[in-house]
Amino acid sequence: MLGILKSKGEFVLRKLSMVISCISIAAMVAAQVPTTPPKPTLIKAGRILDVRTGKYLTGQGILVEDGKIKQVAALADLAGHVAKDAVTIDLSKATALPGLADCHAHLLIAALAANARNNILDAVAGMSASERALLGARMAREDLESGFTTVRNVGHSGVDGDAALRDAIEAGWVQGPRIQASCRKLTPPGGQAVHLNPALAAKVIDLEFLPVGSPDEARQAVRENRFYGADLIKVVADDGSRFVTAEEMKAIVEEAHRSKMKVTVHATTATGIQTAIDAGVDCIEHGDAITDEMLKQMKDKGIFFDLTETFAGGRLRAFVQKSVVLSPEDEQWFAQYEGFVNREAPLRVQRVLKSGVKFAIGSDMWFDYPGKTRGQATAIMFASLRDLGMPPRDVIRAATSGAAELLGWQDRIGAIESGMLADVVAVSGDPLEDVTELERVHFVMKGGVVVKNEIH
Ligand SMILES: [Zn+2]
């Protein structure tokens, strides 16, 4: 965590330079007090990406009122009915698209690569809940500044840190994306990915996970998360050779759906994935061992697949080497890992695209990435997916309209259409040609409030 604290000065400087480059004092004031509805705004868009068709609309304007998109129409037509005091934002040289979503975020953890064995423990046992909440506030702002206007936070946020962060953002205390929060992950007994003396583990594990050892405990865990403010339930179906049982998974789904909460499942093994599918969950994360038959079952049941392919193509090694010198054993591990990922991940992406299963994408970014803000580190996933063979149009759709449907917010976000919340980002180039344009988001509006405008 030291890395985070050390770079605080740098962060303040970056924030200051952003302030100086902001378009207007009015937008600044609006950004600081998001509870005050901003003035009607006309965005003159060079082109708008219709993420549903994958086509550009040109010569359009976006009329924003009360935080929502009131109308999208030819600029000439809009000019007539724009209020006199409306603010105009000139994006005529840019490409506008809907605000981006990260469907697999961990805003309240920033692990260091240097402590690979127990970096989750660093956050859980080495930081207080208050420290983690403040870390989350920083990560949320950094995500938003990179164009992520919506985040689905799926664990590693203490007991209720992500729910509190969601509420703080909605109340205007801090800036950040819209958040769907899962609170604690439901796991097999022992939690997930922590290495502790089992005789001493319970107190630490309970700070981060809700271990379930029976269907009754599973139901109780869902209800406890609900009580703490969770929007959805995250389950860890498999951790090594420890599994949530079929009966427990069914109990979780039944109890969550009773409270209108979706269930999303970390599953990397065939056993974990099949258990989740059979129980009728809403989404599967990672899905390393997914088969064509499983994809077909998911499609038939309407289960989403959330791909988390951020570190393909040697990106994990590149990240780790920023802060660690690899030992010969590490080199060997990376060679094996990369051989596996380079062989399997492109095939998995192609099979997902062919299967017709509904999918979204998530970063699973839970690291303190040297030299990058959390938003910049999150945006690595776009190039990674491109390298695995996913066409830019599909990448963008997965991070906008696909994500919206996964979150059940398809009537609020994920497209630039009248009636949607005014979550709009813009890039200088052509993201359908070069999807890494999404790493360079120069304009961010959330709910009609300008967060950043570096378009000149
Ligand atoms: Zn994760």
Side-chain angles (χ1 to χ4, degrees), residues 53 57 103 118 134 136 140 146 159 174 186 228 238 265 268 270 299 454:
T53 63
L57 307 168
C103 290
N118 255 334
L134 291 165
S146 282
V159 173
V174 294
L186 277 56
Y228 275 102
D238 46 30
V265 178
T268 59
K299 182 174 183 251
E454 295 167 352

Side-chain angles (χ1 to χ4, degrees), residues 280-333:
V281 305
D282 300 284
C283 180
I284 288 171
E285 315 281 322
H286 317 303
D288 299 17
I290 201 144
T291 64
D292 287 333
E293 176 56 27
M294 290 169 179
L295 284 166
K296 184 179 178 311
Q297 292 170 14
M298 287 171 69
K299 182 174 183 251
D300 292 346
K301 289 189 167 194
I303 299 173
F304 258 89
F305 190 20
D306 190 23
L307 290 100
T308 57
E309 304 286 359
T310 302
F311 282 121
R315 286 179 176 81
L316 185 62
R317 183 196 291 258
F319 155 67
V320 171
Q321 282 183 322
K322 286 192 179 296
S323 46
V324 179
V325 177
L326 298 184
S327 67
E329 292 77 22
D330 292 337
E331 291 280 4
Q332 210 178 4
W333 184 88

Side-chain angles (χ1 to χ4, degrees), residues 104 106 185 234 286 364:
H104 191 123
H106 297 295
K185 295 177 182 178
K234 167 82 179 286
H286 317 303
D364 204 4

Side-chain angles (χ1 to χ4, degrees), residues 34-65:
T35 44
T36 309
K39 286 182 179 176
T41 303
L42 175 63
I43 301 174
K44 295 179 175 177
R47 55 185 178 185
I48 298 171
L49 180 59
D50 180 339
V51 293
R52 299 189 206 281
T53 63
K55 298 215 163 71
Y56 285 122
L57 307 168
T58 54
Q60 303 284 298
I62 306 166
L63 187 57
V64 174
E65 269 185 40

